[in-house]
Amino acid sequence: GAVVSQHPSWVICKSGTSVKIECRSLDFQATTMFWYRQFPKQSLMLMATSNEGSKATYEQGVEKDKFLINHASLTLSTLTVTSAHPEDSSFYICSARDLGGAFNEQFFGPGTRLTVL
Amino acid sequence: AQSVSQHNHHVILSEAASLELGCNYSYGGTVNLFWYVQYPGQHLQLLLKYFSGDPLVKGIKGFEAEFIKSKFSFNLRKPSVQWSDTAEYFCAVNENTDKLIFGTGTRLQVFP
């Protein structure tokens, strides 16, 4: 149980285009999902907290107009990188908190590697 | 601001050697502590967690960690590592909120 999937697993796009990444909780419901960014050989940095049915909460320094988050259902959150540039190239990881699970336990997706040319 | 330090960036061990990975955090209040593992090409998985109670926590695959409040530490240990333990290990902390603050990770390589 407690499986989180991400799609796509990798994407290459041209500078200036937008890319959408999906995060799904497959066997549980998640009112809260999280989006992280991981640079090579660095830690995961929380970008935003995605709440079902309401606006996402962004961490300081994260541009909300650039990283659009939508959490339309209890099992799906999407991150759209708008007008992507090479500096947006990174590994994006989502996690989800199980409504019926242990307090504060998050389950992680496999990540999406974005390369912007 | 809360922060998590993992001082061992890269650890190389032979099979059967003992392992201890350091984790220190900077927050004086009540915290929840986690160790996650990321095997090559796979997603992050929870190894163990501490919320309260016995400061010695046992996790999966023979791992354990000890919470020492006075030292703000939550070091990960395993008495005898295996080649299959080769992975990246992340310590994480939160303070009774949803936000997880991660350390920079420790890359463990175990040679047969």
Side-chain angles (χ1 to χ4, degrees), chain A residues 48-83:
Chain A
T49 302
S50 171
N51 302 296
E52 188 266 336
S54 65
K55 291 183 179 180
T57 305
Y58 290 82
E59 294 301 301
Q60 194 173 9
V62 178
E63 298 175 60
K64 61 180 181 181
D65 294 329
K66 182 166 187 61
F67 298 99
L68 300 179
I69 291 172
N70 184 277
H71 193 156
S73 77
L74 286 173
T75 58
L76 173 65
S77 175
T78 60
L79 168 69
T80 301
V81 183
T82 62
S83 187

Side-chain angles (χ1 to χ4, degrees), chain A residues 43 59 97 103-106, chain B residues 49 51 97-99 102-103:
Chain A
S43 185
E59 294 301 301
R97 185 161 66 87
F103 177 67
N104 279 344
E105 184 165 355
Q106 296 181 26
Chain B
K49 59 183 184 264
F51 288 169
T97 69
D98 283 335
K99 293 184 187 180
F102 282 87

